[in-house]
Amino acid sequence: PLPTTAEQLAEAYSPPTPVTEEVARESAETIIRIEYPEFVGVVPTVERRTDFGIARFLILYSKPDELAGVRISIVVGSGRVDVSSFN
């Protein structure tokens, strides 16, 4: 059987560690598709950065003409996912 939406979302919020850029992008795409469908089709900006010694991927989906977006941060070592939106 195919995974349910809830199962897909649970997997996206718990990526395998250490998180690679490919896995981070896949998790972000799933989160956007399910929770923020208005951003499907937006090409995200992806940046790997280290803040206070913690490596993470920062994935930003934004619509500059609408001043709206979704920021997804995924920690490489722990797989912790934080999502915030703005408008």
Side-chain angles (χ1 to χ4, degrees):
L2 295 174
T4 65
T5 301
E7 290 169 336
Q8 291 176 40
L9 204 51
E11 187 176 312
Y13 274 96
S14 300
T17 57
V19 179
T20 64
E21 182 175 342
E22 179 182 357
V23 169
R25 285 178 179 268
E26 289 171 0
S27 290
E29 286 174 16
T30 299
I31 292 166
I32 291 297
R33 179 174 47 81
I34 296 171
E35 295 189 320
Y36 300 93
E38 65 273 23
F39 290 95
V40 169
V42 172
V43 177
T45 301
V46 180
E47 176 184 358
R48 182 182 170 130
R49 58 191 298 172
T50 301
D51 297 317
F52 303 104
I54 299 171
R56 70 181 70 241
F57 287 100
L58 184 60
I59 304 166
L60 179 66
Y61 290 80
S62 66
K63 295 181 177 180
D65 52 326
E66 297 178 24
L67 299 175
V70 178
R71 179 183 179 269
I72 301 172
S73 172
I74 304 176
V75 177
V76 172
S78 69
R80 177 181 171 165
V81 178
D82 291 306
V83 179
S84 59
S85 63
F86 57 91
N87 55 7

